[in-house]
């Protein structure tokens, strides 16, 4: 579960029943809930949305009922993605800068736009679906929360054969991200089999209806490949393309496909994350054609080899004050042959044309024999070091901002951490 999720600790159903009386009848003597009962599952979702997000939501009986903790995890991961790869290279991203997302297949709940806009007042959403009835219900949910959300969610009815990313139809030039919880199954039989395994009635609130869950004949992989094809045409008009998967085998298939696209495979500008809630596992994949680096995300062992090999940031604590650490960072960076250094408070942006912290490079610099000339083309690494005060101590984050050489970035992180933690 995402560390920022309020559901990291288990949900106390009895307490929730006390706080949301509509839910109380579904809590049994063991303080548990019967997840095979669609009414209980719906009431749980409504109560969590009301209590934890101040949202008033109606969920029709004949449509998929969202599991709130897992929907939230996907939204929080996208927040990380957007925050850690802001367009502005030289400073940390600002969570209040405007962001527009597209939710493909928003469903009757409109869950992702509701959560996304509630958590971030500067976010807007375009939400599409092919299901007219679901959109009607989504529209009611938006209206019911108009005080909180204003006009930040725009609904759009599309057709089955229409583009999934309908920027041109909507007359929109650029957006920040797309997200999608696609129809997972390849056939109604596969859907029924999966429901049987979980001992759920087919087409219950928990499994969804065939229109929501089935994309014949290729299921989630086919849906994701359609998105990938469209993304190749749209390129950087969308900063991040993302989608969810319900099966691990689909992730591997999709990632292999992604690797064959030259602009993606070579740059490693994509990432996978695994989201675990109880016994349910979901995976999200993101990819981008922009000159930015991935990415937040765990590295589930089962997906070894599926990841860009290097994480895009390193965070650690230093046992000295903010002022002291800032001073040390400045001295450290000034002692390297960097192409540029820009400081703004506790944020230090730098660019290097190679490994200028190696022993040989430092020796050459001391002798004054290193070639310091450089230009834009030679930037092999752009990084941002951010120092923050944590009481009387400081935390340091090194973020990868430019370049494609993961080994170089890892080596830089290692050097900064070693120097700052060993200082004194
Ligand atoms: N986002 C919701 C619903 C997911 S179910 C949730 O997470 O709970 C998948 C949704 O995709 C359904 O609402 C279905 O109607 C929609 N859908 C299927 N094909 C689509 C298409 N071509 N374009 C847009 N939405 C589509």
């Amino acid at each position: 579960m995402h560390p920022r999720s309020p559901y990291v600790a288990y949900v106390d159903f009895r307490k929730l029943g006390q706080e949301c009386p509509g839910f109380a009848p579904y809590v049994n003597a063991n303080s548990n809930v019967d997840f095979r009962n669609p009414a209980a599952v719906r009431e749980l979702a409504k109560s969590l949305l009301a209590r934890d997000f101040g949202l008033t939501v109606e969920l029709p009986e004949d449509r998929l009922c969202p599991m709130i903790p897992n929907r939230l995890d996907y939204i929080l991961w996208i927040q990380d993605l957007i925050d850690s790869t802001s367009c502005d290279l030289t400073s940390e991203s600002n969570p209040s800068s405007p962001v527009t997302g597209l939710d493909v297949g928003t469903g009757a709940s409109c869950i992702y736009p509701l959560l996304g806009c509630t958590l971030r007042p500067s976010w807007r959403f375009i939400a599409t679906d092919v299901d007219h009835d679901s959109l009607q219900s989504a529209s009611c949910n938006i209206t019911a929360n108009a005080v909180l959300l204003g006009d930040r969610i725009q609904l759009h009815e599309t057709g089955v054969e229409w583009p999934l990313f309908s920027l041109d139809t909507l007359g929109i030039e650029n957006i920040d991200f797309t997200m999608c919880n696609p129809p997972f199954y390849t056939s109604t039989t596969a859907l029924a089999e999966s429901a049987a395994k979980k001992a759920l009635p087919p087409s219950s609130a928990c499994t969804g209806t065939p229109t929501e869950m089935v994309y014949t004949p290729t299921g989630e992989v086919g849906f994701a490949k359609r998105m990938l094809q469209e993304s190749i045409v749209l390129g950087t008009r969308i900063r991040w393309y993302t989608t969810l998967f319900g099966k691990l085998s689909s992730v591997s298939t999709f990632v292999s496909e992604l690797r064959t696209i030259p602009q993606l495979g070579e740059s490693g500008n994509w990432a996978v994350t695994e989201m675990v809630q109880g016994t349910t596992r979901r995976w999200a994949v993101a990819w981008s054609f922009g000159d930015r680096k991935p990415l937040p995300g765990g590295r589930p062992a089962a997906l070894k080899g599926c990841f860009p090999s290097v994480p895009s940031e390193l965070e650690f604590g230093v046992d000295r004050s903010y002022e002291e650490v800032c001073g040390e960072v400045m001295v450290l960076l000034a002692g390297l042959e960097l192409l540029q250094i820009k400081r703004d408070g506790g944020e230090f942006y730098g660019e290097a044309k190679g490994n200028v912290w190696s022993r040989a490079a430092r020796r050459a610099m001391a002798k004054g024999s290193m070639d310091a000339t450089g230009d834009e083309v030679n930037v092999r690494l752009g990084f941002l070091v951010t120092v923050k005060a944590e009481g009387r101590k400081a935390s340091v984050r090194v973020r990868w901002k430019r370049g494609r050489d993961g080994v170089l970035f890892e080596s830089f992180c290692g050097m900064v951490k070693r120097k700052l933690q060993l200082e004194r």
Side-chain angles (χ1 to χ4, degrees), residues 64 66 71 103-109 111-112 128-131 134 158-160 162 164 181-183 211-213 223 226:
L64 183 68
R71 299 306 194 276
D103 179 24
V104 177
T106 200
S109 58
I111 186 66
Y112 291 125
T128 70
D129 213 292
V130 288
D131 182 332
S134 284
T158 63
V160 180
W162 295 14
L164 298 172
N181 180 6
T211 25
E212 293 171 295
M213 304 306 285
F223 210 82
R226 249 177 91 183

Side-chain angles (χ1 to χ4, degrees), residues 13-289:
F13 293 134
R14 180 154 304 281
K15 187 155 167 274
L16 185 64
Q18 284 157 3
E19 289 161 343
C20 307
F23 182 59
Y26 299 105
V27 184
N28 62 28
N30 303 327
S31 301
N32 245 324
V33 171
D34 179 3
F35 280 92
R36 288 164 309 177
N37 175 1
V41 175
R42 263 196 310 280
E43 202 55 47
L44 171 62
K46 283 165 63 172
S47 302
L48 290 176
L49 288 172
R51 184 189 69 176
D52 300 333
F53 301 94
L55 287 163
T56 309
V57 171
E58 281 306 322
L59 301 166
E61 285 177 23
D62 56 354
R63 288 292 182 277
L64 183 68
C65 170
M67 295 292 177
I68 304 309
N70 87 27
R71 299 306 194 276
L72 181 65
D73 260 15
Y74 186 12
I75 282 284
L76 292 173
W77 187 62
I78 292 183
Q79 284 184 352
D80 291 345
L81 194 62
I82 297 292
D83 290 353
S84 65
T85 57
S86 69
C87 296
D88 185 358
L89 285 174
T90 64
S91 59
E92 286 288 333
S93 76
N94 178 356
S96 59
S97 38
V99 165
T100 304
L102 166 63
D103 179 24
V104 177
T106 200
S109 58
C110 198
I111 186 66
Y112 291 125
L114 291 181
L115 286 175
C117 288
T118 303
L119 291 172
R120 290 273 170 99
S122 59
W123 280 29
R124 308 182 76 88
F125 266 90
I126 301 152
T128 70
D129 213 292
V130 288
D131 182 332
H132 184 75
D133 293 347
S134 284
L135 283 171
Q136 295 245 295
S137 153
S139 172
C140 293
N141 284 336
I142 296 168
T143 310
N145 297 285
V147 175
L148 196 62
L149 307 169
D151 62 353
R152 289 186 286 134
I153 305 173
Q154 190 192 328
L155 288 178
H156 179 56
E157 186 164 349
T158 63
V160 180
E161 303 294 331
W162 295 14
L164 298 172
F165 306 139
S166 37
L167 296 198
D168 289 331
T169 321
L170 294 166
I172 295 169
E173 195 45 40
N174 300 96
I175 58 169
D176 297 282
F177 69 88
T178 67
M179 67 188 304
C180 179
N181 180 6
F184 284 155
Y185 295 95
T186 50
S187 66
T188 40
T189 322
L191 169 62
E193 276 168 11
S194 165
K197 263 192 223 152
K198 294 178 192 162
L200 296 170
S203 304
S204 74
C206 315
T207 59
T209 60
T211 25
E212 293 171 295
M213 304 306 285
V214 179
Y215 182 63
T216 310
T218 45
E220 57 183 354
V221 172
F223 210 82
K225 281 188 184 170
R226 249 177 91 183
M227 290 194 253
L228 183 58
Q229 289 311 319
E230 287 187 30
S231 78
I232 294 168
V233 178
L234 289 172
T236 53
R237 286 179 66 187
I238 298 177
R239 266 172 69 199
W240 285 105
Y241 300 87
T242 79
T243 189
L244 209 61
F245 288 97
K247 278 196 299 194
L248 185 57
S249 59
S250 306
V251 182
S252 304
T253 310
F254 183 69
V255 165
S256 309
E257 179 86 11
L258 209 146
R259 282 183 197 271
T260 66
I261 313 293
Q263 307 98 299
L264 295 170
E266 283 162 22
S267 71
N269 221 2
W270 51 273
V272 184
T273 190
E274 182 179 52
M275 300 177 266
V276 185
Q277 276 94 25
T279 55
T280 308
R281 273 165 208 273
R282 294 275 182 269
W283 297 268
V285 179
W287 66 99
S288 170
F289 295 92

Side-chain angles (χ1 to χ4, degrees), residues 327-339:
E328 287 161 21
V329 170
M330 198 60 228
V331 170
L332 174 62
L333 299 182
L336 304 175
E337 199 73 64
L338 294 174
L339 298 173

